[in-house]
Amino acid sequence: MVLIPEVSKLSRSAFRRLGMTPPKTPDAPPARLSLISRHLAPVYPINTPYAVERLPSTVDTSLLPRIQVREITTTTPKMSQPAHPTLLIPGPIEFDDAVLQSMSHFSESHVSAGFVATFGETLSMLRKLFQTTDPASQPFVLSGSGTLGWDLVAANLIEVGEDVLVLGTGYFSDGFADCLRVYGANVTELKAPVGTKPTLPEIEKALSEKKYKAITVTHVDTSTGVLSELKNLSALVHKVSPDTLIIVDGVCSVACEEIDFDAWGLDGVVTASQKAIGCPAGLSISMFSGRAMKAFENRKSPPSAYFASMKNWTPIMQNYEAKKPSYFATPSPQLVHALHTALSQILAKPVAERFAGHKAASDKIKAAIGALGLKQVAANPDEQAHGMTAIYLPEGVKGAELLPILAKKGVVFAGGIHKEIVTKYIRFGHMGVSVLDPTRGDIERAVKALEEGLAELGYTKS
Amino acid sequence: MVLIPEVSKLSRSAFRRLGMTPPKTPDAPPARLSLISRHLAPVYPINTPYAVERLPSTVDTSLLPRIQVREITTTTPKMSQPAHPTLLIPGPIEFDDAVLQSMSHFSESHVSAGFVATFGETLSMLRKLFQTTDPASQPFVLSGSGTLGWDLVAANLIEVGEDVLVLGTGYFSDGFADCLRVYGANVTELKAPVGTKPTLPEIEKALSEKKYKAITVTHVDTSTGVLSELKNLSALVHKVSPDTLIIVDGVCSVACEEIDFDAWGLDGVVTASQKAIGCPAGLSISMFSGRAMKAFENRKSPPSAYFASMKNWTPIMQNYEAKKPSYFATPSPQLVHALHTALSQILAKPVAERFAGHKAASDKIKAAIGALGLKQVAANPDEQAHGMTAIYLPEGVKGAELLPILAKKGVVFAGGIHKEIVTKYIRFGHMGVSVLDPTRGDIERAVKALEEGLAELGYTKS
């Protein structure tokens, strides 16, 4: 059962502020309450995008409308997913029914109290997922692809001509470097051979040669399945270059790999909704440290983007989290509802259990792949992601032939994307419900399909 | 009934390319076919984000996987919207059941043939909505708020120090000007008093004083309900400053006000999904002319944004429309499905009928408001939008009191947003199903609620 934090308290206190008696609410909210979400929150402030604190001081705010009351209904829409091939690419992943159902939420104003509460709770839940209790940490949820997170970093934390060290692990670290250059950063890429990552001594050497404003690391490079270790990396950076901001691309790691934001001293983690978080694509999700926000505030020049500007979004995010309506650009209520549902599900258990679940599944998958005589792009077991596996095709087997066979068996894998090896490997994503809901049998089916598919193409383990 | 353009032809030809016999398809697709969308398209290329044309020439593309076959199922998910107050703010609007149902589409790869076909058709349908047949016109659909369209213009069509003339109509033209300045444009704002727009002679004078790279006009300024006339404006610009790009902010106008892209010689129209198009928020939607795309290609400097870069997105949009998988950043399959459904519904009838329907409803609403003795912010009938009405509150009536009364009656209006008059008016959005589906009775209910609400507050027509 998914519980909404303090929803009844919220509306009761709102009633009290009005000097009214709060309506009787059920003692136990019905299951899937979050799917109908704010339907049980009978009170909301008015639909004006102007938060009071953004109004010019000349306006008499006592004249602004404050509260609207709407009818309560508890009708829950019904849905079930039609049969479809299981999507086991490294994002988007398979989504839970309840999450998809939240995508169909009826239309709501982006500044209604119901939606403001949903958005505010979503931001607060992100703090738990990222394991940060520092009130100076700042979450952002913006409409956009995960890529928008790179712009958020590049346009707000870096000024023209500042040096950034990019740890090169593949296609996605290259992309981050490209984005940083667009906004004027002076990028140094420390590249590792395909399937590996830069070593700590190499990074220490690079950090000692130049003073970097920031270092970026792709926690899991989706092009190779290489996992970068963050804890020791962060400790190293804090030791040898304490002023350098530590920025993590967590698109393929948040919610399946451990990220201990405060304890590890991270300054920024950017991610997307459609991977291990398990919410449809369309949201850029990020967390920045107080130190990163301070670096932003201390910029000499204004931010170099508009939609991706922290100047525009920070007060809005803070207002939403404080349950105050606020407006810069219209968010997507449906996607935010789906994210709220996904995060409620994730946080119903300790996050450590979630990470352990992904690791256990990954270990099984990697053992099965090894047993089939296949090699991974990430050769070193310490450098293997737990939410995906990049698998080299055996000699003589073409992805062009294997993947359609897998699809016929109801399992969709992804082809290669790293340009040096693009035709030589396939990618198997194992995140979210496919891994954590054992009743689905997705992983077993995928491994069996892979084994049978290879056999059909004449492959035998040598 | 919503028909998908050429879906059966599409899969049949795909089969033929494979030398296979196409499967028997039903003669008449079932109603709501688009909701299960590509479930009937049994063929798709493989999940690799790399479009063939983006691969290095050293790669043997014959090794790349091409086709996957998946099972056909015709199960349609069921849903209905729970009872909720009718959202009559100027966006987001009320959404059709089928559109919301598409939001719950099961997870699909963003590079699967099924989704590629959906996205490609969506882009082609936008050409019809914007009334452009010029093949050089380029549609874009990006994950983001409508505001992202401003970045798309500012970061791609304008270079640092270039002059842009912004026609000032209110809150939203001010926002566009701010965005342009962030990317280095030299902005001149030609401001009109609240509730009006700059006149053609004023614009002609401004254009004669300086050579502008672009002129921007907010077709409907959502802060005032002022409608800008585009046809004569465009003719004027083409006459007195033929090199100036004509850029329209159509966030509150596309799909409810006539826009004849080719005939009027427009160069760019940017909009969002959640207003008259009738699809949940989360998509930035735009159309640019061949001339605008040429201006982009002739830039001296690279585009000044990354996620909002036409350099990154143009090949992707062109590939999707050509039904070729391609990748820059992950789009939102669910939102694109919903947009596909919304556009299919819109284009089931001539767009002229849609505009006429909005105009007829608007005329009725404005007459009713006049009959109540209320004044509009946009005083001049020629300058009144057809998808929203900004209404001055009568002397002595506070929005703080009126809007909650309306909400109790099941109708959600919006408060003010223009800072000069923020507490003095309310906004009534009348777009999409609320206007075009007479069985809903939304408009009648809203007008009645307004009349009763005012009476309850002691207002009588003087």
Side-chain angles (χ1 to χ4, degrees), chain B residues 156-319:
Chain B
N156 293 285
L157 300 184
I158 312 296
E159 297 192 66
V160 172
E162 287 184 335
D163 288 296
V164 180
L165 181 63
V166 172
L167 301 186
T169 43
Y171 183 92
F172 288 95
S173 59
D174 287 351
F176 204 162
D178 284 347
C179 177
L180 287 158
R181 286 189 200 100
V182 162
Y183 290 98
N186 183 25
V187 174
T188 303
E189 277 189 272
L190 184 59
K191 290 204 183 195
V194 177
T196 65
K197 63 178 194 223
T199 64
L200 290 183
E202 288 167 346
I203 297 165
E204 180 162 9
K205 181 163 176 290
L207 288 172
S208 68
E209 284 167 1
K210 208 187 261 187
K211 191 172 160 65
Y212 290 100
K213 175 71 172 284
I215 181 173
T216 74
V217 52
T218 307
H219 196 182
V220 169
D221 201 302
T222 320
S223 68
T224 58
V226 167
L227 172 71
S228 288
E229 195 282 331
L230 296 185
K231 191 181 173 183
N232 294 336
L233 169 67
S234 183
L236 171 73
V237 179
H238 281 287
K239 190 186 74 180
V240 303
S241 185
D243 293 336
T244 300
L245 297 173
I246 301 162
I247 306 296
V248 178
D249 178 341
V251 166
C252 200
S253 74
V254 168
C256 66
E257 305 284 357
E258 188 183 3
I259 296 181
D260 205 340
F261 195 85
D262 286 357
W264 295 352
L266 306 178
D267 291 302
V269 179
V270 298
T271 189
S273 46
Q274 77 275 9
K275 304 216 177 190
I277 291 176
C279 168
L283 294 176
S284 154
I285 297 166
S286 50
M287 184 70 69
F288 293 95
S289 68
R291 200 166 78 126
M293 295 309 294
K294 195 62 87 185
F296 166 68
E297 286 156 21
N298 292 338
R299 284 180 71 91
K300 289 177 206 80
S301 56
S304 45
Y306 185 74
F307 181 64
S309 162
M310 285 185 177
K311 184 171 155 235
N312 291 330
W313 280 117
T314 306
I316 308 302
M317 294 296 138
Q318 291 174 347
N319 282 340

Side-chain angles (χ1 to χ4, degrees), chain A residues 75-305:
Chain A
T75 316
T76 311
K78 286 186 185 62
M79 76 152 284
S80 65
Q81 296 180 49
H84 63 276
T86 306
L87 192 60
L88 293 170
I89 66 174
I93 68 170
E94 284 289 318
F95 302 124
D96 181 79
D97 259 12
V99 172
L100 282 185
Q101 196 168 331
S102 298
M103 289 289 287
S104 292
H105 197 285
F106 63 81
S107 196
E108 249 184 335
S109 166
H110 49 300
V111 288
S112 69
F115 177 69
V116 169
T118 300
F119 201 162
E121 288 166 13
T122 300
L123 292 165
S124 299
M125 284 194 280
L126 284 176
R127 296 180 186 272
K128 292 184 184 158
L129 176 61
F130 286 86
Q131 306 194 67
T132 175
T133 56
D134 185 342
S137 297
Q138 183 58 54
F140 291 85
V141 173
L142 310 185
S143 280
S145 305
T147 300
L148 184 64
W150 294 344
D151 291 69
L152 203 57
V153 170
N156 293 285
L157 301 184
I158 313 296
E159 297 192 66
V160 172
E162 287 184 334
D163 288 295
V164 180
L165 180 63
V166 172
L167 302 184
T169 43
Y171 182 93
F172 289 95
S173 59
D174 287 351
F176 205 162
D178 284 348
C179 177
L180 287 159
R181 285 190 201 100
V182 161
Y183 289 98
N186 183 25
V187 174
T188 304
E189 276 190 273
L190 183 59
K191 290 205 181 194
V194 177
T196 65
K197 64 178 192 224
T199 65
L200 290 184
E202 287 167 348
I203 297 165
E204 180 162 8
K205 183 165 174 288
L207 287 172
S208 68
E209 285 167 359
K210 207 186 260 186
K211 192 171 160 68
Y212 289 99
K213 176 72 171 286
I215 181 173
T216 75
V217 52
T218 308
H219 196 183
V220 168
D221 200 304
T222 320
S223 68
T224 58
V226 167
L227 172 71
S228 287
E229 195 282 329
L230 297 185
K231 190 180 173 185
N232 294 334
L233 169 67
S234 182
L236 172 72
V237 178
H238 281 287
K239 192 185 73 181
V240 305
S241 186
D243 293 337
T244 300
L245 297 173
I246 302 163
I247 306 295
V248 179
D249 177 342
V251 167
C252 199
S253 74
V254 168
C256 65
E257 306 283 357
E258 187 183 4
I259 296 181
D260 205 340
F261 194 85
D262 286 357
W264 296 353
L266 306 178
D267 291 302
V269 178
V270 298
T271 190
S273 46
Q274 77 275 9
K275 305 217 177 191
I277 291 175
C279 168
L283 294 176
S284 154
I285 297 166
S286 50
M287 184 69 69
F288 293 96
S289 69
R291 201 166 77 127
M293 296 309 294
K294 195 61 86 182
F296 165 68
E297 286 156 22
N298 292 337
R299 284 181 70 93
K300 288 176 207 81
S301 56
S304 45

Side-chain angles (χ1 to χ4, degrees), chain A residues 286-356:
Chain A
S286 50
M287 184 69 69
F288 293 96
S289 69
R291 201 166 77 127
M293 296 309 294
K294 195 61 86 182
F296 165 68
E297 286 156 22
N298 292 337
R299 284 181 70 93
K300 288 176 207 81
S301 56
S304 45
Y306 186 75
F307 181 64
S309 163
M310 284 184 178
K311 185 171 154 235
N312 291 329
W313 281 116
T314 305
I316 308 302
M317 295 295 139
Q318 290 173 348
N319 282 341
Y320 269 117
E321 205 171 355
K323 312 286 166 69
K324 289 186 270 189
S326 190
Y327 175 75
F328 162 61
T330 310
S332 178
Q334 283 73 13
L335 276 169
V336 172
H337 272 288
L339 178 59
H340 187 278
T341 301
L343 291 173
S344 299
Q345 292 178 340
I346 289 172
L347 296 173
K349 291 184 181 175
V351 289
E353 269 183 42
R354 185 175 181 87
F355 304 142

Side-chain angles (χ1 to χ4, degrees), chain A residues 447-458:
Chain A
V447 168
K448 187 159 167 278
L450 183 61
E451 183 172 2
E452 290 174 355
L454 288 169
E456 287 173 33
L457 291 172

